[in-house]
Amino acid sequence: MTSPTPTKSARSSRSAEVSATPASYEAALEELEQLVAQLDAGQLPLDQLLGRYQRGAELLAYCRARLEAVEQQIKVLENGEPKPWDGQ
C-alpha cells in the first residue's frame, strides 16, 4: 500500500509556512531552537526531517543577516556618524 499523495493545496500551504519571514530576530531564534530540539530527538520521518532542516537553514540565514545589519549600525554609531536604519 502507498500513502496518499498530498494535494497541491496541502503542498502549497506547507511551502508558504516554510518560507514565512519571522516577525523578529527573537521569534526566529525561538523557532530555530525548537527545530533543533526536534531534529536532535531523531523521531521525525525523513521528509519532515528535510523540511525542518531547510526551515532551520532559512532561519539561520535570517538571524545572521539581522545580526550583521545591527553590527553595521553599531560600527556607524561608533564612528560618530548616525545613519538611518529601517530596522528590518
Side-chain angles (χ1 to χ4, degrees), residues 3 11 16 37 58-61 66 70 84:
S3 59
R11 284 190 301 253
E58 291 173 0
L59 291 167
L60 184 57
R66 295 294 293 134
V70 170

Side-chain angles (χ1 to χ4, degrees), residues 9-29:
S9 63
R11 284 190 301 253
S12 298
S13 66
R14 248 186 269 146
S15 297
E17 186 178 303
V18 167
S19 55
T21 303
S24 66
Y25 172 83
E26 291 77 10
L29 190 59

Side-chain angles (χ1 to χ4, degrees), residues 33-70:
E33 289 172 348
Q34 291 172 358
L35 286 172
V36 168
Q38 291 172 356
L39 294 172
D40 282 346
Q43 300 297 318
L44 297 172
L46 188 59
D47 61 331
Q48 289 181 7
L49 181 72
L50 179 59
R52 291 203 173 61
Y53 181 85
Q54 289 171 333
R55 178 61 176 164
E58 291 173 0
L59 291 167
L60 184 57
Y62 174 85
C63 288
R64 285 180 175 164
R66 295 294 293 134
L67 288 173
E68 186 176 314
V70 170

